[in-house]
Amino acid sequence: MTVTTGTRVVISGGDVFDGTGAPPGPADVAIDGGRIVEVGSGLDGDELVDARGLTILPGLIDCHVHVMFDGIDLMAHLQQPFSYAFYTAIRSLARTLDCGITTVRDAGGADLGVKQAVANGLIEGPRMRTAISILGQTGGHTDGWQPSGVDASLFVPHPGRPSPIVDGPDEMRRKVRELVRAGADVIKICTSGGVISPRDDPRHAHFGPDELATCVAEATTAGIAVMAHAQGADGIKNAVRAGVRSVEHGIFLDDEGIEMMLDAGTYLVPTLAAPRAVIAAAAAGAALPDVVVDKAREVAEAHMESFGRAVAAGVPVAMGTDSGVGRHGDNLTELALMHEAGMKPEAVLAASTSSAASLLGIADEVGTVAAGKRADLVLVSGDPFDFGSLKTNIRAVYQDGRPVR
């Protein structure tokens, strides 16, 4: 890669996948002041980056990560000092950036301090949107109570991370307000049980209509959206009826739920890699309850099947991995799974760029290679649709016009 020095940077000679889903085509990209200022042919600049043989992608966006832990192992988690998770986040964020992911939505765990540390340049990583705490009912997905009396919650409450357990509309109203006060960019609520929570069933719906309505109303008043951990069909439909912005996981999504999501414009964030990560962790010796591993095995096939039907029906999809359940740095395996389940390669990359940006409400800033957008770019060799090799083919990552990899 040939570089000369200057102020206006032109990445020249490559192909551009602009993020809209259109096929890649030859173009140069001019950057100035951290922004893309021009996309076209034969552009001049003070600094030239030779991208011949490379494809220029928008910075990728992962809409569902948990940077405060890195892999599921209950015993290791229980023995980890409280503050250790913050140092884990530093490594996790760096590994995510290695994947060409320049923006993430942390779906629970990271507080305002982690987000500000990245924004202020204290640590390197993708820019962040955060949910902070994951709201669940007593006995639900975020309730760490165990028969022994031990609380095995993944995220211990602290001054910047409110307790996640909520019961009733009044508690819901107060909790959403606490999260807004704490700096949440989105509210995450569990409308079903889950896989890694041993005391519930992912098929069962959680929270009543009054609690869900209160959650969405309070978030809307604060100008932010609601994302719903929703795996069972009833929990998915309850979430859509309440007006959530995105359904996370959607494992047992049925035809009625698909139609409801289409009518409401609700996004699906599939996280197809998550159950496979649980199965792989157990095979590698992670200390996990048998019921958790059994649930992961039960849902993996249904997950792929329901996602394929949602894609065929035209449900809007935004890429999300649930990294944290799996290892950070393995995020791009999600793209291969989306393709395997029936999504066209161009659509997979669009779901990982422009569609993800639209879900997060930041499409005016990132998600496409276009004049005026932040210069978040990924330069890759080989076939950009060879998702199995995409990470190893990354040659450079730019964030706000600055090469960070």
Side-chain angles (χ1 to χ4, degrees):
M1 186 176 294
T2 304
V3 179
T4 60
T5 59
T7 54
R8 174 175 155 118
V9 178
V10 173
I11 304 174
S12 65
D15 287 340
V16 171
F17 176 86
D18 66 5
T20 65
D28 302 337
V29 179
I31 303 167
D32 198 353
R35 297 272 175 175
I36 298 169
V37 293
E38 196 174 357
V39 181
S41 300
L43 303 184
D44 293 324
D46 303 303
E47 177 180 327
L48 298 179
V49 177
D50 184 357
R52 286 176 294 181
L54 304 179
T55 302
I56 305 164
L57 312 177
L60 304 180
I61 301 171
D62 191 333
C63 295
H64 194 125
V65 302
H66 299 280
V67 302
M68 298 296 284
F69 65 100
D70 189 27
I72 291 294
D73 187 319
L74 180 59
M75 187 56 64
H77 169 71
L78 290 175
Q79 296 185 66
Q80 178 180 287
F82 169 78
S83 60
Y84 191 85
F86 290 89
Y87 299 95
T88 297
I90 295 172
R91 182 184 64 188
S92 298
L93 287 160
R95 288 179 174 176
T96 305
L97 202 56
D98 290 343
C99 297
I101 294 169
T102 54
T103 302
V104 297
R105 181 174 63 173
D106 188 275
D111 65 6
L112 183 59
V114 177
K115 176 184 173 181
Q116 286 191 352
V118 174
N120 295 343
L122 294 181
I123 58 177
E124 63 174 6
R127 69 178 55 84
M128 298 182 70
R129 311 286 285 180
T130 57
I132 300 181
S133 299
I134 308 169
L135 301 185
Q137 68 183 35
T138 297
H141 186 53
T142 58
D143 187 346
W145 181 91
Q146 302 299 318
S148 64
V150 170
D151 187 335
S153 298
L154 285 173
F155 304 123
V156 177
H158 65 71
R161 188 167 64 204
S163 168
I165 306 303
V166 184
D167 294 293
D170 290 340
E171 285 189 15
M172 181 67 74
R173 181 174 294 107
R174 180 177 181 85
K175 191 64 63 176
V176 172
R177 291 174 180 177
E178 286 181 357
L179 285 168
V180 172
R181 179 180 67 185
D185 301 300
V186 63
I187 302 300
K188 183 180 178 184
I189 189 167
C190 298
T191 63
S192 79
V195 170
I196 65 171
S197 43
R199 304 300 299 172
D200 61 24
D201 188 320
R203 293 176 177 82
H204 293 168
H206 289 180
F207 286 122
D210 53 349
E211 295 166 306
L212 296 177
T214 299
C215 178
V216 173
E218 284 296 323
T220 301
T221 297
I224 61 177
V226 178
M227 58 189 295
H229 162 102
Q231 299 186 351
D234 290 339
I236 293 168
K237 286 179 271 195
N238 289 345
V240 176
R241 288 189 191 100
V244 304
R245 177 74 169 153
S246 64
V247 165
E248 313 293 308
H249 316 303
I251 291 172
F252 296 108
L253 181 61
D254 62 17
D255 290 341
E256 181 184 16
I258 288 172
E259 289 301 316
M260 290 173 63
M261 292 182 71
L262 288 169
D263 290 343
T266 311
Y267 282 77
L268 176 62
V269 180
T271 71
L272 299 170
R276 286 165 172 74
V278 174
I279 296 166
L288 292 169
D290 290 342
V291 65
V292 169
V293 182
D294 290 344
K295 284 194 287 184
R297 292 191 178 112
E298 289 168 6
V299 306
E301 185 175 345
H303 200 178
M304 293 284 280
E305 190 273 334
S306 67
F307 174 71
R309 286 189 291 106
V311 167
V315 172
V317 174
M319 192 272 283
T321 63
D322 218 356
S323 292
V325 174
R327 295 290 184 182
H328 297 277
D330 293 338
N331 308 58
L332 300 186
T333 60
E334 182 73 18
L335 278 63
L337 290 170
M338 293 164 73
H339 183 215
E340 181 184 333
M343 204 171 198
K344 294 180 179 178
E346 295 90 342
V348 171
L349 280 184
S352 308
T353 52
S354 59
S355 183
S358 295
L359 167 60
L360 301 191
I362 54 175
D364 58 338
E365 290 285 304
V366 296
T368 54
V369 181
K373 300 293 182 73
R374 290 180 180 270
D376 288 4
L377 303 167
V378 185
L379 277 58
V380 299
S381 62
D383 180 357
F385 301 136
D386 179 6
F387 300 126
S389 301
L390 185 58
K391 184 178 178 182
T392 57
N393 286 342
I394 292 174
R395 294 294 171 261
V397 179
Y398 287 76
Q399 191 175 41
D400 285 329
R402 182 174 63 90
V404 293
R405 288 292 182 274

